[in-house]
Amino acid sequence: MAFKTKTAPRFTRTQAHLRNRDVCIIDTASLAGTKRIEGFKELASDLGVSEKLVLKRDKRNKFDEWSVGVFTSAGKRIGLLPFGENEIVARLLDSGERVYGRVKRLEQRPSWVNLEMRIFLAS
């Protein structure tokens, strides 16, 4: 009786490339809490579409147990993930996964700024 040895599956070049791609887990999330950020309009004017955003857990937030802060790549806080869209991201961050955002759309009006982002799980 002959035993067969198991080998790792072979991937084509395209399939191997897809294995190492980051996965978009939330396609559109609006930035929340911007009214509490001093100088937010100036910070937002420095951002560009597809710019990377850093996500960090904010466990000290007494109003939302799943609070996730959003920061520029330079470390400036620009807001929070909205309530209801933050629990999955918070759980991923708590488990040690690398999660980040990218600016999807930035709309500047005279009295306010609307920033939408995509959330990615790093491979």
Side-chain angles (χ1 to χ4, degrees):
M1 179 176 192
F3 291 99
K4 292 185 177 180
T5 58
K6 292 186 178 181
T7 59
R10 293 188 177 161
F11 293 96
T12 65
R13 182 180 172 145
T14 305
Q15 289 170 325
H17 173 70
L18 292 175
R19 284 185 8 204
N20 296 322
R21 293 188 71 177
D22 296 349
V23 178
C24 180
I25 57 174
I26 300 176
D27 185 57
T28 304
S30 294
L31 190 64
T34 58
K35 291 180 183 178
R36 296 181 188 92
I37 305 298
E38 189 174 322
F40 173 72
K41 288 176 100 174
E42 291 75 26
L43 288 170
S45 66
D46 293 339
L47 295 174
V49 173
S50 78
E51 185 162 336
K52 194 170 187 175
L53 301 171
V54 178
L55 304 177
K56 295 180 185 176
R57 279 288 269 133
D58 183 6
K59 293 184 179 184
R60 295 180 297 160
N61 187 325
K62 60 184 175 184
F63 302 107
D64 184 2
E65 66 179 315
W66 303 113
S67 182
V68 176
V70 181
F71 299 81
T72 66
S73 56
K76 301 278 186 178
R77 186 182 184 113
I78 57 172
L80 299 164
L81 282 183
F83 181 80
E85 294 179 8
N86 58 1
E87 182 178 353
I88 293 169
V89 175
R91 287 180 183 265
L92 287 167
L93 289 169
D94 288 347
S95 69
E97 295 291 339
R98 293 179 301 141
V99 183
Y100 66 92
R102 287 206 180 270
V103 176
K104 179 178 180 178
R105 189 171 75 95
L106 189 61
E107 181 182 0
Q108 295 196 0
R109 300 282 179 116
S111 59
W112 57 275
V113 177
N114 181 34
L115 187 146
E116 292 179 349
M117 67 187 119
R118 285 188 171 112
I119 309 298
F120 292 89
L121 176 62
S123 59

